[in-house]
Amino acid sequence: MLIFIKLVLAHLIGDFVLQPTRWVLHKQSNKITSKFLYVHVLLHFALYMLFLWDLSLWAIALVVTVAHFGIDVLKLYTNTLFKNKSIPFFIDQLLHILVIYSCAFYTDLYEHTLSLFENLDWYLVTAIVFVTYPAAIIMGMILEGMSNQIETDHKSLPNAGKYIGIIERLFVLIFIVIGRWEVIGLLIAAKSVFRFNDLKERNNRKLTEYILIGTLVSFGLAILAGLLYIS
């Protein structure tokens, strides 16, 4: 909450202590063309940076400053819609505080996220990404010449084969990472059982060879990714 308190203090000084009445009146008269609007906003940015005292947090100060400018402009153009002038004042201040709180919360979230990313197993993430769409594209390139020779009259779900391949490769990778190689054999056997009746009915040698090659390539890519990760 220290960043939040610092930003609130800077806001209070910039909005109340260092903003003369003539600036307020000039902004109300000239609105977005008022030079004091921009001086006021730049002063806020300087105060934010001064109180934060950390150049690495410049982005937070900039976001709060830009939001401050937008809220002030909104107030200038909607102020006349309210008979009670205290209403837009309190709405304006509430929005400023909400923005400051959000940015302070984001800073804390950013630090936790940065810590998480520093401890992330990037080798495993790379392996996981590889066995999904990149491996599917590689398989498509390898099997492209063969797929043109396969004649089938059966209908299947759109991209079903691609998604099945991605899921099976993810399973293979997981089993390798946790050291359960025997489960990979069961996975291959289960896939063979599901494919057996389909291939038996069609009695198509080329289709059988195509599916076999595709399966071996798919499992091979997943096993390669797994071996590279554990090595």
Side-chain angles (χ1 to χ4, degrees), residues 5-6 18 29 37 41 48 51-52 67 75 79 93 107 114 119 130 134-135 149 173 189 206 208 229 231:
I5 296 300
K6 287 182 177 180
L18 299 181
S29 300
L37 171 63
V41 170
Y48 294 143
F51 281 93
L52 289 174
K75 179 189 173 186
N79 201 38
Q93 293 302 315
T107 304
L114 184 61
N119 297 321
F130 172 75
Q149 303 178 37
L173 179 62
K206 287 185 178 180
T208 302
Y229 170 74
S231 61

Side-chain angles (χ1 to χ4, degrees), residues 120-132 134 173 225 229:
L120 195 62
D121 189 340
W122 290 104
Y123 296 102
L124 181 58
V125 172
T126 303
I128 291 173
V129 172
F130 172 75
V131 300
T132 56
L173 179 62
Y229 170 74

Side-chain angles (χ1 to χ4, degrees), residues 116-187:
L116 175 64
F117 270 74
E118 288 176 348
N119 297 321
L120 195 62
D121 189 340
W122 290 104
Y123 296 102
L124 181 58
V125 172
T126 303
I128 291 173
V129 172
F130 172 75
V131 300
T132 56
Y133 288 96
I137 293 174
I138 292 172
M139 285 190 59
M141 298 295 293
I142 294 174
L143 300 176
E144 183 178 8
M146 303 178 192
S147 61
N148 297 329
Q149 303 178 37
I150 305 300
E151 296 180 2
T152 58
D153 56 354
H154 66 282
K155 295 181 179 179
S156 62
L157 296 174
N159 296 318
K162 179 175 70 175
Y163 294 126
I164 291 173
I166 290 174
I167 294 171
E168 74 181 18
R169 287 190 297 274
L170 285 172
F171 276 126
V172 171
L173 179 62
I174 292 171
F175 294 143
I176 293 174
V177 171
I178 65 178
R180 300 301 301 270
W181 286 84
E182 68 278 8
V183 185
I184 299 175
L186 294 176
L187 187 61

